[in-house]
């Protein structure tokens, strides 16, 4: 059953009531913007626009498609590595994303685009991209608690996560005026530390009772690799989706493309060197190969140069892979953080690296390289007198804001999720789809007769013989 035997009615009612609330709130606040409204014809005539090709839809929709696939396919399949939790990985990813994007359109609209005269939020294709970005932060956090929480807990976690995201995004992008096109700080650093802190608060000392379910099998790793490839291919679109049209968007795609390629080679090398046999660990290939895309999010549109993008990817491959080998076991054993997917190594650490790279690159900017700084850093209005050194400081401040929101927000939300009312699985039933899903009959009939499978792939507990 979707929400478990004892909490099925509560979970179903929650979804039903929430969707009715969304219908009411959208009816009150949400309207089409001028480029998606039927009055676009009049807008064209008024602004002397000669062709529909100037509509933002034709600039942004290809990127929106790519980002949307990353959210629903990339993130979903990346989490299918657990041998008995594929339904939960893809299915609850689907649920969380659909739930969160509606709330995100409202929250981001209230903070960023609420019309003071009409009290309405006007949305277009860029609003949809930003909503997907907001949901990405919550899906990152989901990776830390994958298999250990109930669907209702996930929805509560997303409700607060989207709210916190909208606030920290407003502070970083609007008040501090930091640049973060690909969301190294706003999305990955926040989502990473939000999920890690929740996982810390929800620590399960007896989680080893479900150790038999924590590993992967051959086919589950193949499915997870599908998610990796979708994310890897479309990450240039993710980092360039909301940058300014023209050279900024073009440069962001090139930089991300190169950074990701560099990360793959470094990850493969470090993964092989870390094993006594010289073989590759699929955990590293599935995850660390993506770290470069995370780390280049903030500086993607900056003049970091092609070789600079390769350098960032090079170091991210090393740091992320070493994180899976050494830091993840330390976090679980010493800090009591049970990070199912290793989001600390894929999102949190690379997000911080991205914030640092963005701050240094911004502080080092010059008119000889950038031309007019206003074109990249938007030094207008209240920020017209800002220098690049000051901008670098605000970039660093933005990173700190994202960490604080992630840690403090995660501690508060984690405390709420600890209440014994959410129907979370027992320790011995974690990482098992049977708790919340109707499984095919043949699975239920023969699961006891399936011979034990070597658990060679565990995201949380590194094999001692490989240390």
């Amino acid at each position: 059953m979707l929400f478990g035997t004892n909490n099925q009615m509560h979970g179903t009612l929650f979804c039903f009531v929430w969707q009715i609330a969304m219908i009411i709130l959208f009816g009150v606040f949400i309207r089409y913007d001028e480029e998606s409204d039927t009055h676009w014809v009049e807008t064209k005539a008024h602004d002397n626009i000669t062709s529909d090709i100037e509509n933002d839809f034709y600039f942004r929709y290809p990127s929106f498609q790519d980002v949307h696939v990353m959210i629903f396919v990339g993130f979903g399949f990346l989490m299918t590595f657990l041998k008995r939790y594929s339904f939960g990985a893809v299915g609850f990813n689907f649920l969380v994303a659909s739930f969160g994007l509606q709330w995100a359109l409202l929250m981001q609209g209230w903070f960023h685009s609420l019309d003071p005269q009409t009290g309405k939020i006007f949305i277009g294709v860029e609003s949809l991209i930003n909503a997907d970005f907001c949901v990405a932060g919550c899906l990152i956090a989901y990776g830390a608690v994958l298999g250990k929480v109930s669907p209702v807990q996930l929805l509560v976690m997303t409700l607060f996560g989207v709210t916190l995201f909208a606030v920290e995004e407003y502070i970083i992008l609007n008040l501090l005026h930091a640049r973060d096109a690909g969301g190294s700080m706003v999305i990955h650093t926040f989502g990473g530390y939000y999920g890690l802190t929740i996982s810390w608060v929800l620590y399960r000392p007896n989680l080893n009772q479900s150790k038999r379910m924590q590993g992967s099998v051959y086919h589950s790793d193949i499915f997870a690799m599908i998610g990796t490839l979708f994310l890897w291919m479309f990450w240039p679109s993710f980092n360039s989706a909301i940058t300014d049209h023209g050279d900024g968007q073009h440069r962001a795609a090139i930089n991300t493309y190169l950074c990701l390629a560099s990360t793959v080679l470094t990850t493969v090398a470090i993964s092989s060197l870390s094993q006594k046999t010289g073989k590759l660990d699929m955990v590293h290939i599935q995850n660390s190969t993506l770290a470069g895309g995370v780390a280049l999010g903030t500086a993607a549109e900056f003049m970091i140069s092609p070789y600079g993008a390769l350098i960032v990817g090079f170091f991210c491959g090393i740091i992320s892979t070493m994180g899976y080998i050494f830091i993840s076991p330390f976090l679980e054993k010493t800090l009591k953080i049970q990070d199912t997917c290793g989001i600390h190594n894929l999102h949190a650490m690379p997000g911080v690296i991205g914030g640092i790279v963005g701050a240094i690159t911004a502080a080092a900017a010059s008119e000889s390289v950038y031309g007019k700084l206003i074109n990249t850093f938007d030094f207008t209005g209240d920020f017209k007198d800002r220098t690049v050194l000051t901008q670098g400081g605000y970039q660093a401040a933005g990173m700190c804001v994202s960490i604080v929101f992630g840690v403090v927000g995660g501690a508060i939300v984690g405390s709420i999720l600890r209440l014994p009312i959410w129907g979370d699985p027992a320790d011995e039933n974690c990482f098992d789809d049977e708790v919340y899903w109707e499984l095919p009959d043949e699975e239920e009939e023969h699961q006891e007769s399936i011979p034990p499978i070597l658990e060679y792939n565990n995201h949380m507990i590194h094999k001692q013989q490989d240390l």
Side-chain angles (χ1 to χ4, degrees), residues 193-206:
Y193 286 105
Y194 179 62
L196 289 169
T197 307
I198 290 176
S199 182
W200 173 69
V201 175
L202 300 181
Y203 175 71
R204 290 172 176 260
N206 299 314

Side-chain angles (χ1 to χ4, degrees), residues 57-116:
F57 175 85
Y58 297 100
F59 290 103
R60 302 291 187 192
Y61 191 73
S63 295
F64 166 70
Q65 284 182 304
D66 294 349
V67 171
H68 217 45
V69 169
M70 290 177 71
I71 297 300
F72 286 91
V73 179
F75 278 102
F77 275 87
L78 181 63
M79 294 188 284
T80 59
F81 66 92
L82 291 169
K83 58 188 174 186
R84 290 284 295 176
Y85 206 72
S86 294
F87 283 15
V90 177
F92 293 151
N93 184 91
F94 195 10
L95 173 67
V96 165
S98 299
F99 172 88
L101 67 85
Q102 297 178 68
W103 184 230
L105 285 169
L106 286 163
M107 286 301 303
Q108 290 178 311
W110 285 326
F111 276 96
H112 294 283
S113 57
L114 185 67
D115 189 313

Side-chain angles (χ1 to χ4, degrees), residues 380-455:
T380 59
D382 295 337
F383 311 101
K384 63 181 179 180
D385 296 324
R386 180 174 289 187
T387 65
V388 291
L389 286 175
T390 304
Q391 181 65 31
Y394 278 105
Q395 293 287 148
M399 181 184 67
C400 294
V401 169
S402 64
I403 294 174
V404 169
F405 266 80
V407 173
V408 176
I412 295 171
V413 175
S415 299
I416 295 172
L417 297 179
R418 280 185 66 89
L419 297 174
I421 59 174
W422 306 113
D424 51 320
D427 291 332
E428 64 271 18
N429 293 326
C430 289
F431 315 111
D432 192 348
D433 275 330
E434 191 174 7
V435 178
Y436 299 112
W437 295 86
E438 293 286 353
L439 300 180
D441 291 339
E442 60 271 18
E443 286 283 324
E444 294 178 346
E445 291 173 3
H446 300 295
Q447 62 178 341
E448 296 299 330
S449 64
I450 296 176
I453 301 172
L454 178 64
E455 295 184 14

Side-chain angles (χ1 to χ4, degrees), residues 228-413:
T228 298
L229 291 175
F230 269 102
L231 291 169
W232 195 92
M233 289 187 298
F234 291 144
W235 217 296
S237 294
F238 190 94
N239 283 353
S240 64
I242 59 171
T243 53
D244 295 334
H245 297 322
D247 67 286
Q249 195 165 40
H250 198 166
R251 192 164 52 251
I254 293 172
N255 287 337
T256 307
Y257 176 92
L258 294 172
C259 187
L260 285 165
S262 177
T263 307
V264 172
L265 271 68
T266 312
T267 299
V268 169
I270 299 300
S271 180
S272 177
L273 289 172
S274 69
Q275 306 293 325
K276 293 180 180 179
T277 60
K279 296 180 180 180
L280 300 175
D281 190 329
M282 200 57 164
V283 174
H284 307 154
I285 307 306
Q286 289 164 355
N287 296 278
S288 295
T289 53
L290 302 171
V294 174
L296 204 67
T298 297
E301 62 179 329
F302 296 168
M303 291 288 288
I304 194 171
S305 78
Y307 79 88
L310 292 176
I311 291 173
V312 173
F314 177 82
F315 283 106
C316 277
I318 296 173
I319 294 170
S320 179
T321 308
M322 297 302 283
Y324 279 100
I325 297 170
F326 297 109
I327 299 179
S328 287
F330 171 80
L331 290 179
E332 180 168 6
K333 183 177 180 180
T334 306
L335 300 184
K336 309 302 181 185
I337 298 176
Q338 298 161 323
D339 181 9
T340 308
C341 291
I343 67 167
H344 180 262
N345 312 307
L346 174 53
H347 297 283
M349 278 199 307
V352 171
I353 293 171
I356 294 171
V357 170
I360 294 173
T361 308
S366 64
E367 291 193 355
S368 63
V369 175
Y370 284 80
K372 293 183 178 180
L373 295 172
I374 188 177
N375 295 333
T376 301
F377 297 101
D378 197 23
F379 289 157
T380 59
D382 295 337
F383 311 101
K384 63 181 179 180
D385 296 324
R386 180 174 289 187
T387 65
V388 291
L389 286 175
T390 304
Q391 181 65 31
Y394 278 105
Q395 293 287 148
M399 181 184 67
C400 294
V401 169
S402 64
I403 294 174
V404 169
F405 266 80
V407 173
V408 176
I412 295 171
V413 175

Side-chain angles (χ1 to χ4, degrees), residues 158-171:
T158 304
L159 172 64
F160 286 105
V162 168
T163 305
L164 289 165
F165 181 98
V167 177
E168 61 109 16
E169 180 188 46
Y170 178 76
I171 293 172

